[in-house]
Amino acid sequence: MTLHDKFGRQITDLRISVTDRCNFRCVYCRSADPENYREHDEILSWVELERLALIFAGLGIQKMRITGGEPLVRDGVEKFLRKLNELRVPDISMTTNGHLLAERVPALLEAGLHRINISLDSLDPIKFEKITRTRSYDSVMRGIDAVQASALAPAKINAVLVRGFNEHEVEAFAAFARERGVIMRFIEFMPLDADRHWSRDLMVPADEVYRRIHAQWPLEQIPHAKSETARKYRFADGAPGEIGLIAPVTQPFCGHCSRIRLTADGKMRTCLFSKDDHDLRGLLRNDASDSEIEARIRALADQKEKGHRINEPGFVPPSRTMVFIGG
Ligand code: SAM
Ligand code: SF4
């Protein structure tokens, strides 16, 4: 059985946020001010997450990505990964800030993680501290090293470029991809930051990133599936590494979007920019049957938005920001 929306898009990709907690406070995501995390009982338990994963797998979800908050701060992630493997989900991945990663790589691999994305927004430790508001540069680098030395290689490295913060590092990141053989992905800053500082001027368009790298190291496009968010490039001179450009603002890929999201507090979200998300936790905790939950998921998927409307006049960012949504 498969999941579709009313525009005929098949939903094959589920992002599961397993916690709203995080050990970083990236400027483009969270506020510097202390935040009130959800109470523990508001967050789905592992048992509840496993039940939903089983239902989603039965609906033809092919890819499940574990995210947060920071997924590695919640105990039990490896056990959950093992359960996803038992469900034979074809593609199981994780997005992490990398701080707790180095020591966890063997356990994550053993639990059946297939792929990993690590966020890294600066190659300069001082700048890294300003962006993440932590001094974790060395531990993140150790995490990347550990992944590169493992069967999870090549790591995908995610950088969100913010004008005036780290835009000057485009070429340094490309050099990093070439030296380390990683997949370096540049993500356009989206209006999902807790401090509401986003403006179009702060976003570095993917085309600008392309031009700058191509001028120094000519790039060749790699074909990609329509539902993939990244335009992918290899270096024409045969150097290792890849470049990925993710342009949700300047080149929206909504027409081919195959994604839905589950927030840590058990809400289904049909678009990053949805005005509302929809409660599944109540169903889980009020003895709904699997088929009732499945019917609700189908009805919600059907209502998936046509597009995110960031570029339309009068766009209003969603009330729940990345902190609550999960990447
Ligand atoms: N804590 C993990 C991490 O940072 O990798 C996983 C969760 S994080 C919300 C997932 C991804 O969303 C990260 O790659 C992060 O850079 C990205 N992200 C967060 N806020 C963003 C924003 N306002 N615009 C674009 N990407 C953003
Ligand atoms: Fe935490 Fe990831 Fe958000 Fe940074 S981007 S504050 S690491 S959730």
Side-chain angles (χ1 to χ4, degrees), residues 3-5 7-11 254-257 304-306:
L3 199 55
H4 289 87
D5 69 13
F7 302 104
R9 295 172 295 192
Q10 188 182 341
I11 312 300
C254 307
H256 300 288
C257 182
K304 182 171 163 64
E305 297 81 343
K306 189 173 181 196

Side-chain angles (χ1 to χ4, degrees), residues 19-31 35 37 67-71 95-99 119 121 131-134 160 322-323 326-327:
T19 179
D20 61 338
R21 287 164 199 253
C22 189
N23 39 10
F24 284 16
R25 296 189 160 274
C26 304
V27 290
Y28 54 76
C29 181
R30 306 186 92 98
S31 177
E35 285 156 347
Y37 292 123
T67 178
E70 171 48 38
T95 305
T96 170
N97 63 30
H99 176 62
S119 299
D121 302 305
I131 296 176
T132 61
R133 302 175 174 124
T134 70
V160 177
M322 206 55 126
V323 182

Side-chain angles (χ1 to χ4, degrees), residues 101-262:
L101 183 59
E103 292 71 26
R104 304 276 283 277
V105 169
L108 291 170
L109 260 173
E110 191 270 324
L113 186 67
H114 300 152
R115 301 188 294 121
I116 194 153
N117 290 34
I118 305 162
S119 299
L120 176 70
D121 302 305
S122 180
L123 292 163
D124 165 0
I126 294 168
K127 183 68 72 178
F128 178 96
E129 184 177 337
K130 285 204 172 111
I131 296 176
T132 61
R133 302 175 174 124
T134 70
R135 294 194 175 154
S136 301
Y137 180 83
D138 290 341
S139 55
V140 175
M141 282 299 179
R142 283 196 301 110
I144 294 173
D145 288 343
V147 167
Q148 287 302 94
S150 80
L152 280 172
K156 285 187 179 165
I157 310 293
N158 289 352
V160 177
L161 295 176
V162 182
R163 185 93 64 206
F165 261 98
N166 54 357
E167 73 191 87
H168 58 286
E169 294 195 59
V170 167
E171 291 80 1
F173 276 128
F176 185 70
R178 293 167 63 86
E179 283 154 22
R180 307 294 299 276
V182 295
I183 301 170
M184 190 66 228
R185 294 154 35 106
F186 297 91
I187 306 175
E188 287 178 349
F189 180 25
M190 295 181 278
L192 290 170
D193 57 312
D195 284 336
R196 305 288 187 189
H197 284 152
W198 185 88
S199 75
R200 211 162 275 275
D201 300 343
L202 287 176
M203 180 212 44
V204 181
D207 274 350
E208 179 179 327
V209 177
Y210 173 83
R211 278 196 301 275
R212 283 173 56 180
I213 301 176
H214 189 65
Q216 194 152 339
W217 295 291
L219 295 170
E220 289 172 350
Q221 190 146 17
I222 305 171
H224 66 278
K226 276 187 178 161
S227 62
E228 272 184 278
T229 49
R231 279 183 287 144
K232 303 191 287 189
Y233 301 88
R234 65 171 79 86
F235 294 103
D237 64 4
E242 265 179 37
I243 299 296
L245 300 178
I246 302 167
V249 181
T250 61
Q251 295 164 49
F253 29 81
C254 307
H256 300 288
C257 182
S258 55
R259 272 167 294 283
I260 50 173
R261 296 178 152 77
L262 181 64

